[in-house]
Amino acid sequence: MQQKIAFGDSIARLGAPLAWLAVAALLIAGCRPAGDDLVTTRLFVMATVVDLSLPQSSIEQEPDLIGKIEAELRQIERDYYAWGDGELAALNLALTGFQAFEASSDLVSLLQRSQFIASVTGGAFDPSVGALVELWGFHSSEQSDAEPPEDDEIAMVLERMGSITSLVVSPINNTVSPIVDFIPGEDRPVERVFTLDLGGIAKGAAVDRIVERLEAQAVTPALINAGGDLRVIGEPAGRSWRIGIQAPREDGMLGTIELRHGEAAFTSGDYERYFEHDGDRLHHILDPRNGLPVGHTQAITVLAADGTTADAAATALFVAGPAEWRQMAEALGVDAALRVDASGQIEMTSAMRDRFRPSTQAGSDIIAAAD
Ligand code: AMP
Ligand code: MG
């Protein structure tokens, strides 16, 4: 496979650890007929490495194609980063000041989708966690002191946190407004700080946006791989898209899955961004209900028909935990999901079991392959 490498300027922004690259190693299996050339172009954007594998002929037909995709990804990176100067940052500012905000239709639909997922998951997935993400220092690549916040700081943030479910999002005029509560007996509103953080869903939305563009131009087959979170279009002639699921605590793979046309595979893992403190791994996926990094799960991989669902569902099921994750997957319409618990044991839904081929060494750790 030919590879063209393009360096962007924004990798330093969130400073993704290189481990992100290994979330799901990609294998393209089968024999390779002549003339079927996929060219992989690497971009550093949205704090990760995005590999676009497109047919040589599509790039020749539209030499601007990669440039347009890159520009779109950079725009999404800017717009959907809560601590920058784009649209989401402006929205948070307006909401905290009790103001309505006129948003782009793309942001409005992503907020609506997020509200829906927040309500279906009982708040396990909730972009309102931004203020907590900031308190723990996971919003920035500079992990300032690698110390956990104090309990009373967490309690204070939880108390003042404005929730995505307390917003009125109107697709008719594209406005987003806070519902303002008043302090009983006083003529003043309850102050809320809105730091909506779309980090748990935006990568999926970005991948979907690129897939839409490519499909509109009949570009097929193609693979968009954003740091191991990926979606495919079509199938390479005589071959298949086979992805490997990274083992959370060691080099190597738990096993492989073959993806079908249009499918997305996204993983949320506690190894993607973390620091260690007193022997605990304190990582970037937080339970919005108690403000703490989730301790019962190492990784969740989800297959879905689109990237937005797969991304948000992986984050939600990560938070859900042993008793709830299967039920929550069902409520989200997700059939195929795999969970690695805190002790490294693997369980999966029956739809995932039908698709997953364990690597030999992981086979012995799979304890609950059936529903
Ligand atoms: P992912 O890797 O897709 O699971 O996304 C993790 C990112 O989503 C974190 O870095 C945070 O920015 C954000 N996040 C953390 N916890 C949650 C949560 N419970 N719900 C929604 N987003 C979250
Ligand atoms: Mg996610």
Side-chain angles (χ1 to χ4, degrees):
M1 187 182 289
Q2 203 180 331
Q3 198 160 79
K4 201 174 106 195
I5 312 279
F7 288 91
D9 57 5
S10 55
I11 183 70
R13 184 136 144 211
L14 284 180
L18 282 177
W20 281 25
L21 281 176
V23 178
L26 181 81
L27 314 168
I28 299 178
C31 57
R32 174 178 205 169
D36 171 27
D37 272 337
L38 284 176
V39 176
T40 299
T41 305
R42 175 162 288 188
L43 307 170
F44 291 100
V45 64
M46 296 186 71
T48 193
V49 174
V50 178
D51 283 333
L52 304 167
S53 300
L54 309 177
Q56 171 93 49
S57 55
S58 305
I59 297 171
E60 280 165 8
Q61 265 164 32
E62 198 195 333
D64 258 9
L65 184 60
I66 301 285
K68 285 182 183 160
I69 293 175
E70 181 173 5
E72 185 156 11
L73 290 173
R74 295 214 179 282
Q75 189 64 45
I76 294 173
E77 171 184 62
R78 179 165 183 250
D79 282 344
Y80 293 172
Y81 182 57
W83 295 273
D85 58 359
E87 194 178 11
L88 183 61
L91 170 70
N92 282 330
L93 203 65
L95 296 175
T96 301
F98 306 109
Q99 303 289 315
F101 184 84
E102 198 178 325
S104 63
S105 54
D106 283 334
L107 181 56
V108 164
S109 46
L110 195 53
L111 290 172
Q112 281 190 300
R113 190 106 183 83
S114 298
Q115 274 191 322
F116 171 76
I117 295 167
S119 74
V120 168
T121 63
F125 172 88
D126 191 338
S128 319
V129 291
L132 290 165
V133 170
E134 188 175 332
L135 183 67
W136 282 89
F138 292 118
H139 62 307
S140 149
S141 57
E142 288 140 36
Q143 200 80 60
S144 47
D145 47 8
E147 284 281 326
E150 300 294 333
D151 291 349
D152 58 343
E153 291 178 293
I154 295 173
M156 203 177 344
V157 168
L158 282 171
E159 203 189 311
R160 302 190 63 205
M161 207 163 90
S163 170
I164 193 161
T165 49
S166 72
L167 297 177
V168 179
V169 182
S170 165
I172 296 164
N173 52 8
N174 285 338
T175 53
V176 185
S177 335
I179 296 173
V180 180
D181 294 322
F182 282 83
I183 299 171
E186 291 184 39
D187 195 16
R188 63 197 165 93
V190 179
E191 281 184 30
R192 296 261 174 253
V193 177
F194 283 89
T195 316
L196 301 179
D197 166 14
L198 295 172
I201 192 170
K203 204 201 277 184
V207 166
D208 288 347
R209 208 88 77 79
I210 303 312
V211 165
E212 244 171 68
R213 172 188 284 273
L214 294 173
E215 282 187 327
Q217 292 178 243
V219 175
T220 183
L223 162 79
I224 297 91
N225 180 359
D229 292 323
L230 46 91
R231 193 170 167 200
V232 298
I233 302 176
E235 277 175 16
R239 292 184 281 163
S240 55
W241 302 116
R242 188 185 300 172
I243 59 160
I245 307 300
Q246 166 75 34
R249 291 289 182 273
E250 61 210 51
D251 287 343
M253 285 181 285
L254 298 177
T256 62
I257 304 167
E258 269 183 32
L259 292 187
R260 301 170 186 145
H261 163 64
E263 271 187 330
F266 275 63
T267 296
S268 288
D270 69 357
Y271 49 90
E272 291 173 334
R273 198 175 297 188
Y274 68 95
F275 60 89
E276 280 177 5
H277 180 79
D278 287 348
D280 288 330
R281 176 184 291 244
L282 300 171
H283 64 91
H284 69 315
I285 303 173
L286 305 174
D287 188 329
R289 296 160 291 196
N290 62 19
L292 303 173
V294 173
H296 48 58
T297 303
Q298 291 180 0
I300 290 270
T301 296
V302 167
L303 304 187
D306 65 272
T308 310
T309 304
D311 191 354
T315 308
L317 302 187
F318 192 106
V319 177
E324 278 185 279
W325 75 277
R326 286 167 187 272
Q327 211 182 334
M328 201 178 280
E330 229 174 279
L332 287 166
V334 165
D335 292 335
L338 175 152
R339 173 173 184 262
V340 184
D341 76 10
S343 65
Q345 289 183 317
I346 302 165
E347 50 178 339
M348 57 187 106
T349 61
S350 55
M352 182 64 103
R353 186 196 52 210
D354 292 345
R355 315 254 324 250
F356 182 74
R357 280 203 247 155
S359 64
T360 11
Q361 70 274 33
S364 57
D365 289 334
I366 298 175
I367 50 146
D371 285 322

